[in-house]
Amino acid sequence: MRHFHYIWASFLSLGLMSPVFAQDSVPSAEPQATSDLDSTTAQTSSTQHPRLEALKELKNIKAKDLKVNANATQPESQKDPLQPLNRQVFAFNDALDRNVARPLAIQYKEKVPTEVRGSYRQFRKNLGEPWNVVNQLIQGRPLRAAESLGRFTINTLTTLGFADPARRIGLSAEEENFGTTLGYYGIPSGPYLVLPVFGPSTFRDTLGLVVDGQARPQKYILEDHDGLYWSEQVLRGIDARSLLLEIEDVLQGDKYSAIRDIYLQRKNFSIAEKKGLEPETMFIEDDQDSSEDQNQDNPDQPNDETSEDDVDSSSK
């Protein structure tokens, strides 16, 4: 349960960053003479502790808001009802990234040769192939599962997983996770959610993350070596962050909204692709909205070009 404990430990560490619950309850028998002072103190406290205000806004969330199948084209109130809290977690993650993760990723990319980084990344991907096979079988795609099993067998026997000769004979990679498998069967994603340290997610993908953590072979290979296990997890995170160094400048304006919409778009595209659906079906709502806004221009003109461009950018 290492990943499960890690998630909740991250939530706890975020909460301990400021005493947001200090003086949260006021005795009901306070004298009337101190009411003005209490009001002034509460206003000052709210400005000093924005997390408290964000938590208070969550009381307006209803059960139906948690049953949404979030996608990038929906209104913010529908896909991201937890936005006040999400933005606080995002700010925490962003500060952690600027001060810790990004500097480490820069040093990692500069000091570690490209061949070594590539071999390590491929080794990790190869270890994940058996879990890919399990997810593809659950999805009812035995042919794709056989291809993934073939990849694992060939790459392990020939290079111990440090290279990808299977790709040269036409066996392409397709990474899976349990959150995607749940989405494949139409289980709603729930609203967008930002996890401490882990970053963008949804309710469904958070559950998938916990299950994925129990299914990865590293958990069992390094079961009795906690130091090695956590060192490998940290290295995994640094390696993943290094892949974003070249594209991080693309994000302009509101980074929170951009990352959220990119995440939801890519997730929905991945699920639709596995189902064999046309990519354009992901953008039906967006196209309809665009058509309504531009009725007086070309009401009958299709928006296929826009949809294809969006799909291309998301698949990258």
Side-chain angles (χ1 to χ4, degrees):
M1 299 293 289
R2 284 189 176 100
H3 281 75
F4 182 78
H5 292 157
Y6 193 30
I7 291 173
W8 288 110
S10 300
F11 274 115
L12 181 60
S13 66
L14 176 66
L16 292 177
M17 288 185 64
S18 63
V20 297
F21 296 106
Q23 300 179 351
D24 194 33
S25 59
V26 179
S28 58
E30 287 291 330
Q32 183 65 27
T34 61
S35 60
D36 293 339
L37 180 59
D38 291 341
S39 176
T40 304
T41 303
Q43 292 177 359
T44 305
S45 177
S46 65
T47 59
Q48 292 178 345
H49 303 297
R51 289 190 185 86
L52 180 58
E53 293 302 308
L55 290 173
K56 286 182 178 179
E57 289 189 36
L58 298 182
K59 67 182 180 181
N60 297 323
I61 303 299
K62 300 178 181 179
K64 65 178 182 179
D65 296 327
L66 304 181
K67 298 179 181 179
V68 64
N69 193 23
N71 66 70
T73 63
Q74 293 171 336
E76 290 195 352
S77 60
Q78 186 175 358
K79 65 187 174 185
D80 192 8
L82 304 175
Q83 184 168 161
L85 179 60
N86 281 339
R87 284 189 177 273
Q88 293 299 321
V89 181
F90 177 81
F92 166 74
N93 287 347
D94 191 50
L96 190 65
D97 179 71
R98 292 194 312 270
N99 294 289
V100 180
R102 189 176 186 277
L104 288 175
I106 292 174
Q107 292 299 313
Y108 170 76
K109 189 173 182 178
E110 290 179 352
K111 301 297 175 58
V112 180
T114 302
E115 295 78 8
V116 175
R117 287 185 278 118
S119 296
Y120 165 74
R121 200 171 299 131
Q122 178 56 42
F123 181 74
R124 284 195 56 89
K125 289 182 178 179
N126 192 62
L127 285 179
E129 289 288 7
W131 184 231
N132 293 340
V133 173
V134 172
N135 278 282
Q136 288 156 359
L137 287 174
I138 296 174
Q139 294 168 11
R141 300 193 296 151
L143 294 180
R144 178 62 251 194
E147 189 171 340
S148 296
L149 182 60
R151 282 181 48 79
F152 177 73
T153 303
I154 293 172
N155 290 342
T156 301
L157 292 179
T158 56
T159 66
L160 296 179
F162 287 101
D164 192 6
R167 182 181 293 273
R168 301 172 188 170
I169 61 175
L171 297 178
S172 59
E174 184 175 319
E175 295 188 22
E176 302 283 355
N177 57 68
F178 193 67
T180 300
T181 298
L182 293 176
Y184 183 88
Y185 282 103
I187 296 176
S189 67
Y192 178 71
L193 183 66
V194 181
L195 299 176
V197 180
F198 289 91
S201 186
T202 61
F203 280 26
R204 181 187 65 204
D205 290 343
T206 300
L207 173 61
L209 179 66
V210 175
V211 176
D212 290 339
Q214 300 304 306
R216 300 300 182 184
Q218 293 92 321
K219 178 182 185 300
Y220 305 99
I221 295 174
L222 303 175
E223 181 69 29
D224 298 324
H225 303 84
D226 286 345
L228 286 176
Y229 177 83
W230 289 112
S231 297
E232 197 275 334
Q233 293 297 300
V234 171
L235 181 59
R236 173 191 176 189
I238 295 174
D239 181 71
R241 182 61 181 89
S242 70
L243 296 175
L244 303 176
L245 292 174
E246 295 181 357
I247 64 174
E248 60 186 4
D249 292 337
V250 175
L251 297 177
Q252 301 293 334
D254 186 0
K255 289 176 58 178
Y256 171 85
S257 296
I259 292 173
R260 175 195 62 202
D261 290 344
I262 290 172
Y263 176 83
L264 294 177
Q265 183 172 297
R266 292 190 64 182
K267 175 61 69 171
N268 287 326
F269 175 75
S270 176
I271 294 172
E273 188 178 39
K274 295 178 192 304
K275 288 183 174 181
L277 302 178
E278 291 294 329
E280 287 79 6
T281 60
M282 292 172 49
F283 303 92
I284 287 178
E285 295 181 18
D286 190 36
D287 292 341
Q288 289 176 345
D289 293 339
S290 299
S291 298
E292 291 173 0
D293 293 338
Q294 301 175 5
N295 271 338
Q296 49 196 3
D297 294 327
N298 293 313
D300 296 327
Q301 182 176 353
N303 293 313
D304 291 341
E305 292 182 3
T306 301
S307 298
E308 290 173 1
D309 290 341
D310 290 341
V311 170
D312 289 341
S313 64
S314 67
S315 62
K316 293 178 182 177

